[in-house]
Amino acid sequence: MSIYRMEHSLDMNKKTSDAPIWPVNSFKSVVTKVPDWPDSISGLAYNPFRPGQSPYKHIYPTREQIKEDLLLIRPLTRHVRTYSVEQTLACIPEIAEELGMSVTLGIWIGWDEKHNDRELIEGVKLASQYPSVRRLIIGNETLLRNDVTVSQLIDYMQTARQSANVPISTSEGWQQWHDTPELADHADFIAAHVLPFQSPRQALQFSHGRTN
């Protein structure tokens, strides 16, 4: 196995706006030694869909496939984060319980209010039924997609809180958390997505500012 080190060509003496967005001469040198990696990590985001499967096609993984996945994941971590409880995805807490794993259970929130209500009911039920469910995440990048308003998302979080006895939050990009601080007032923990390569210029501006 060869691991390539990124060569960053940003000249800190230049203005950030003049700097290249992407590294130049990427993968310039080869690192022959594998970096240290822990025997286990705190958790993984788990999406069980396989090629040809999709919630948009209403083709879901089987219970057996999900168990097969979790058996592969278990040596690396005993905790997974999910995104929805629709169809067979609702089996994940039960299977995790059997395998001695835990779950941060995602409840998908979108523009369809009836679907949102079904997800909330099922997610809260699973959280009450299986001790493997340690937290609930109500929505994933829902504000980023403009599927609901901030007040609607908070209402969904509060609805879940009334029945669930686990910590409640939602998952958004750092920008949404920054722009809507009232969201944190209704969250028990912050689940923020930090993806610098989706906004490379912002990432370089931030890194440039931190070095001066």
Side-chain angles (χ1 to χ4, degrees):
M1 176 185 293
S2 296
I3 297 178
Y4 295 89
R5 177 166 54 90
M6 299 288 284
E7 291 288 341
H8 203 300
S9 65
L10 177 61
D11 184 348
M12 290 303 179
N13 293 320
K14 294 182 179 180
K15 294 181 180 179
T16 305
S17 58
D18 297 331
I21 293 179
W22 295 106
V24 176
N25 296 326
S26 299
F27 312 120
K28 182 177 180 180
S29 60
V30 177
V31 178
T32 56
K33 183 181 178 181
V34 177
D36 291 336
W37 186 260
D39 293 334
S40 63
I41 56 178
S42 59
L44 288 173
Y46 173 54
N47 179 354
F49 290 96
R50 302 189 179 197
Q53 299 174 345
S54 168
Y56 302 108
K57 299 177 182 178
H58 302 287
I59 302 174
Y60 290 82
T62 65
R63 191 184 191 284
E64 291 72 25
Q65 288 174 330
I66 292 172
K67 186 171 184 178
E68 184 180 73
D69 288 346
L70 293 183
L71 283 170
L72 289 173
I73 291 171
R74 189 171 61 169
L76 301 175
T77 184
R78 292 301 178 98
H79 187 84
V80 293
R81 174 263 169 104
T82 65
Y83 296 87
S84 172
V85 293
E86 191 170 24
Q87 299 289 338
T88 55
L89 307 186
C91 298
I92 294 174
E94 179 186 1
I95 299 171
E97 187 102 350
E98 294 174 2
L99 300 179
M101 300 176 70
S102 58
V103 182
T104 294
L105 191 66
I107 293 175
W108 189 262
I109 299 296
W111 57 267
D112 187 334
E113 293 184 5
K114 291 183 179 179
H115 180 270
N116 295 344
D117 291 342
R118 290 196 300 270
E119 285 263 341
L120 275 172
I121 292 170
E122 183 67 17
V124 168
K125 183 183 77 173
L126 292 170
S128 301
Q129 186 175 359
Y130 296 105
S132 61
V133 178
R134 303 293 175 81
R135 306 176 190 87
L136 284 178
I137 292 183
I138 314 301
N140 182 73
E141 297 186 345
T142 309
L143 298 181
L144 178 64
R145 297 191 306 273
N146 293 316
D147 283 349
V148 298
T149 65
V150 175
S151 61
Q152 286 174 316
L153 181 56
I154 290 173
D155 284 344
Y156 284 127
M157 293 167 66
Q158 293 297 87
T159 298
R161 190 185 304 282
Q162 291 172 6
S163 302
N165 293 319
V166 295
I168 302 290
S169 187
T170 187
S171 187
E172 290 286 346
W174 66 268
Q175 189 77 50
Q176 282 67 46
W177 285 103
H178 178 273
D179 293 345
T180 54
E182 64 270 28
L183 202 58
D185 295 334
H186 300 274
D188 297 317
F189 60 96
I190 303 297
H193 296 165
V194 181
L195 307 171
F197 288 103
Q198 284 191 357
S199 303
R201 186 173 295 279
Q202 285 182 315
L204 287 181
Q205 288 173 343
F206 176 77
S207 64
H208 179 71
R210 295 285 289 183
T211 56
N212 287 280

